[in-house]
Amino acid sequence: MSIWSYANPRKFLETTAPWVPWLMWLSAAVLAVGLVWGFFFTPEAERFGSSVKIIYLHVPSALMAINAWLMMLVASLIWLVRRHHVSALAARAAAPIGMVMTLIALVTGAIWGQPMWGTWWAWDPRLTSFLILFLFYLGYIALWAAIPDPDSAADLTSVLCLVGSVFAILSRYAVNFWNQGLHQGASLSLDSQENVADVFWLPLLVCMAGFVLLFVSLVLLRTGTEIRARRIAAMRARARRAEPVRA
Amino acid sequence: MMDLGKYAAEVISAWGISLALLGGLVWWTIARDRKVRAELERTERDHG
Amino acid sequence: MRALLARDLRLAVRAGGGFGLGLAFFLIVVVLVPFGVGPETAILARIAPGILWVAALLAALLSLDRIFALDHEDGSLPLLATAPLPLEMLALAKALAHWITTGLPLVVAAPLLGVLLHLPGAAMPWLLVSLALGTPALSLIGTFGAALTVGLRRGGLLMSLIVLPLYVPVLIFGAEAARRGAEGLPAATPLLLLAGIALGCAALLPFATAAALRVTLR
Amino acid sequence: MRALLARDLRLAVRAGGGFGLGLAFFLIVVVLVPFGVGPETAILARIAPGILWVAALLAALLSLDRIFALDHEDGSLPLLATAPLPLEMLALAKALAHWITTGLPLVVAAPLLGVLLHLPGAAMPWLLVSLALGTPALSLIGTFGAALTVGLRRGGLLMSLIVLPLYVPVLIFGAEAARRGAEGLPAATPLLLLAGIALGCAALLPFATAAALRVTLR
Amino acid sequence: MERGGMPVLTGVSFRLAPGQGLVLRGANGIGKTTLLRTIAGLQPQLSGSIEGAGERAGYASHADGIKPALTVTETLQFWADLYRSTLPEEVFDLFDLADLRDRSAGTLSAGQGRRLGLARLAVISREVLLLDEPTVSLDAFSVKRFASFLRDHHLARGGIAVIATHIDLGLDLPEMDLTPYRAAPEARGGSDEAFL
Amino acid sequence: MERGGMPVLTGVSFRLAPGQGLVLRGANGIGKTTLLRTIAGLQPQLSGSIEGAGERAGYASHADGIKPALTVTETLQFWADLYRSTLPEEVFDLFDLADLRDRSAGTLSAGQGRRLGLARLAVISREVLLLDEPTVSLDAFSVKRFASFLRDHHLARGGIAVIATHIDLGLDLPEMDLTPYRAAPEARGGSDEAFL
Ligand code: HEM
Ligand SMILES: Nc1ncnc2c1ncn2[C@@H]1O[C@H](COP(=O)(O)OP(=O)(O)OP(=O)(O)O)[C@@H](O)[C@H]1O
Ligand SMILES: Nc1ncnc2c1ncn2[C@@H]1O[C@H](COP(=O)(O)OP(=O)(O)OP(=O)(O)O)[C@@H](O)[C@H]1O
Ligand SMILES: [Mg+2]
Ligand SMILES: [Mg+2]
């Protein structure tokens, strides 16, 4: 059986529905472990003081903000090429999650910036590109919401997601070029682990795993919701057509 | 309660806002799912 | 395609959305900014390229909904779409007409506007080249955004929201080139990148625009 | 009159010209300006009040043609004019709806926008008061200009030209008050003058607007 | 009600009592719309007088002034509010809009949109209705329905109606052909007169 | 030319040879406009096929797409250019526009504007004309004139016409009532199917 059979809405629901609650609980547990560990059982960093604890929310949410967009891009491509409804709806389901992740990264970063850089906001490249990413999410979600016909909405948002991805990459480079910035480098890359001591790194890893799990379970749940909503709309449309035009 | 030093306000507000956002997202997702499920059941009964 | 371009330009001129409006807009911005930020020469000169670039972008953004909305409302759009002209060409013609009414006036008037804002003379050629390269890209991107939102409720707001992040790279490279030029730094890199973006937009975006139009016309 | 106001606001919200568009516009300006002029804090802080005031003025100016033009095009305006509502009230309702969609959002969002532009905290109250007093005057003046040019070819351009000089005093006093406030100088005089202008506009301009409408509706 | 003299039409004159209607006829461009707009007070007559219209008149033009973003109910509610009346339930039945209540006006078919435009007239309930080609786009059944609305709901209750139309409404109203009133080239009027 | 199946209409099917016309009938909202748009290729059919239209078809909608700022001649010239044909002098006579040549389209009366919209069809000279209520707002004389244009200039030269209308054009064309083709409730189609 090919993987595409899961693109049938009914089959998708049947397969995922039993899993979703368990996944939710699992992600809650992993998140709880990571966050409690990070909040209560990590030391302070010498340069950051206790403010380093913000990292356990800041970095995972920043990662997920980008990964959610990547997932939407893949799902949009699948919809455009193979026209599987589930993938269009999954892209739609992922967007608000990605947007909240972006918002968390922005807010935690802004709050962190006040003690570290002495300002809430700086036009630093990474901050700026997150602001732009946030705008992309907003536009994408608003476009979905504004188009009444679901297929047209799926088509147009997919085109936007494709074009938007290209421009998101462009603006990342543009922003880097424009301002060299205050923000930390990517010191978390796997080959340079020595930058961050294990005391910070391990709980952070758990938090990241928790965020990934949370994202997956929320996307599955929301996709199911979207499918059910479409089913309601389809049944109502059929019922409406049954009524005579004129008595 | 543990001592967060001079950054207490920042850390707590950052965590508070973030957890509130996460919680809100989860709550909204689940609430909407419940609503749609109930609606679907009703629709299936009416127009089934 | 030439017929469509001619019609759009004629309509723009007659309805007051043409060259004249573009020029008036830039003049307004340039007159207002000194009233707003105060008359000090040093500051004005420092922000002049940025202000002109932001003005170009606002002018493009705010005139986008004219691109398709009017034709949609009065029913011309389906008639145009059934004419023997590929939708890609329609998209290109619309973008070109938009550029001629919003981008070109700025390029033409930039020397005068620069003087009003005390832009140093050496910066002028850089500003001109960056505007000449960047504004067509703004029109092409905007046409795409307009096609995505034809006929939607909240179309105007949505379009700004969608188009704005797409505009960022153009704005950054454009303003950066002009600024570096003004300060005597090497400005070739941002200009080249800008040219690359403009070419890429011209080559690819009409297809995306046509695809979007096909969907919105349904 | 309340019905008309409610309708206009609802239409604005639905069509994306409402509160949302106002906010989006200011956010756009505030995001674009640093991209344009560069990220240096000192310069941004220096030009922040001026930029916000110019943005308020542009937002008002650019949305003026929506005030009557849409109702004129789809034939609602004659229907509204034959309704049992004095034209003066129509003018006032239209101006109020315009202010709620363009002026109010700016007043509300100014604190956030100020942070993004690094506006010093002490300047904030002055900026807010000056905007709260000045933006209603902008809407009233704009409604008058819109009424003068309903249904004219080139209406948009003409309107900008007519309205712009009328806007200049408001801009000067408003931006001056905000700037003096930011620099800790006494700012009461320009604020009082601004308040005077706003009151005068509210008391007199609706009559002029109604008179203009009566002529343009012929 | 009287009026006379203008560059398009000249010498037109009629008077209608409560409960009477009048159908205006004439080729395209003869001036029916112009006449109705003048009676509605939207443009000044060059000479002559119009009595009794003004506040009491409701005008329906070629364009329905329908906002695509509002729903059918919202549209009618707006006009009801503006004219300080309430929105009677019966209009939805009278104009066969019951099924379309919550549809946004932009998605209506041509005839459905026209029905909405006409329903507005029932909502604002003016004594004098000035109707410019009210039945355009309507199918035969809807035309009949509208005609019976006019007869039973409007004229029977003492209303007055002046209707410009090219088709036969099936109402037994007096007709007035505007062709003879076409302004002759030397008919003067308006402010040009002062310069001739 | 064939087509079938969609949520509004289902099972509609017809074939027209050169020189033939077809009149579509049906109550408001039955789906005439929808059918014509589908044939014109503006919206996809849910199932079934349409052959031979496409490039050869010219579509005229409810709205004329007239720009108030252009004059009558400019409007027609634009369509001629867009369709790469020339603007034949005779259209001005055919549609009685000779006197209005240089008037800007915004000042035309309703029927004059409609005549301009129809004149466009003569300018673009497509083999297949898809006409949606072409005679709305026209007076009796203009209707006759348009009917004879269709008969003598279009059908007689091997053209095809599909016309949706509520009135009688006085042409001797076969009629097709769409009422029986109303999509039945269980008619499935479109992407909703995947969710039912
Ligand atoms: C609104 C503001 C901010 C945004 C949008 C933001 C965004 C990001 C992103 C996207 C990452 C992930 C980078 C990666 O893993 O490669 C990151 C990591 C990080 N951020 Fe921020 N940031 C912001 C403010 C701050 C501030 C104010 C600080 C502290 C002074 C900070 C400290 C860090 C640290 C320490 C990391 C981990 C970097 C690493 O070592 O890889 N961020 N931030
Ligand atoms: N602004 C204008 N300038 C010049 N002529 C005009 C203007 N507006 C209208 N006209 C002309 O005035 C005449 C009367 O127009 P009106 O709209 O009253 O006609 P009508 O009888 O309603 O026609 P229809 O049946 O086509 O609606 C027409 O010949 C029209 O072309
Ligand atoms: N966007 C939409 N959403 C829901 N229903 C729609 C939409 N657009 C059209 N309809 C409905 O589809 C049906 C067919 O409309 P269509 O315009 O084809 O009718 P028509 O036969 O041309 O009617 P008329 O004679 O009034 O022009 C109508 O009942 C209409 O209300
Ligand atoms: Mg008329
Ligand atoms: Mg129709």
Side-chain angles (χ1 to χ4, degrees), chain E residues 110, chain F residues 33 62 132-133:
Chain F
T33 301
H62 286 299
D132 202 350
E133 300 191 44

Side-chain angles (χ1 to χ4, degrees), chain D residues 77-105:
Chain D
L77 201 52
L79 304 183
L80 288 174
T82 51
L85 179 79
L87 276 178
E88 285 78 11
M89 292 309 265
L90 176 76
L92 210 56
K94 287 282 183 184
L96 196 56
H98 181 258
W99 180 71
I100 292 179
T101 51
T102 64
L104 186 59

Side-chain angles (χ1 to χ4, degrees), chain A residues 135-150:
Chain A
L135 291 177
F136 269 119
Y137 273 119
L138 268 184
Y140 179 89
I141 292 171
L143 190 61
W144 260 111
I147 305 173
D149 175 59

Side-chain angles (χ1 to χ4, degrees), chain F residues 28-50:
Chain F
N28 285 143
I30 192 75
K32 301 177 294 299
T33 301
T34 312
L35 177 56
L36 290 175
R37 281 175 57 92
T38 313
I39 303 178
L42 285 169
Q43 51 188 52
Q45 64 272 32
L46 293 178
S47 66
S49 66
I50 301 162

